[in-house]
Amino acid sequence: MMRAAGERAREAAAAASLPAPKVIAVTVLTSLDAAALAEVGLGGAPREAALRLALLAREAGLDGVVCSPGEIEAIRSACGPGFLLVVPGIRPAGSAAGDQKRIATPGAAARAGADLLVVGRPITGAADPVSAAREIAAEIEAGS
């Protein structure tokens, strides 16, 4: 299924004379912990499940995965530097985790090797979203 999705996306782009898109897969949602995985029949720690799924995505020819901050280093090591890592669960220090179980600060995720950070509620829920976004960008730049 993943291989077919990647192939069809690239074929459609070529047929439209567009650059090939980056096709990524989702590993384990950042809102899930080991107990939640067990409830849906996935054994082991989220990190182990995410690594297994990332390896499957790479073998299927996809360009990368969405993974939690806690899996960045293991997936980067196993899948290589060219494998795109899109990382949600980003929370500035002192921010509420909300429903997220596996989180990191923007600087920590950037230092660990994330390619793209997904930051939602810490910006959209801030009293001053522009200021919140600037603070997050500054933290990333200072840490990388």
Side-chain angles (χ1 to χ4, degrees):
M1 174 181 67
M2 289 188 291
R3 184 177 315 282
E7 290 170 356
R8 295 310 166 279
R10 291 179 191 100
E11 289 168 5
S17 298
L18 296 171
K22 297 290 185 189
V23 180
I24 61 172
V26 175
T27 60
V28 178
L29 300 176
T30 54
S31 59
L32 300 177
D33 57 13
L37 286 181
E39 285 181 32
V40 297
L42 291 175
R47 180 181 172 121
E48 294 165 0
L51 181 56
R52 281 192 313 269
L53 294 168
L55 289 168
L56 286 171
R58 186 190 66 179
E59 290 170 21
L62 298 190
D63 299 297
V65 294
V66 176
C67 66
S68 89
E71 288 101 44
I72 295 169
E73 292 173 355
I75 292 173
R76 176 70 67 219
S77 176
C79 295
F83 198 68
L84 184 66
L85 300 183
V86 178
V87 182
I90 303 302
R91 296 291 186 266
S95 293
D99 65 339
Q100 302 297 288
K101 307 290 188 221
R102 298 171 4 262
I103 62 173
T105 64
R111 283 188 302 278
D115 294 302
L116 298 170
L117 302 182
V118 179
V119 184
R121 286 171 273 185
I123 295 173
T124 62
D128 182 353
V130 172
S131 178
R134 285 186 178 136
E135 289 174 18
I136 290 168
E139 180 183 338
I140 293 167
E141 193 162 315
S144 54

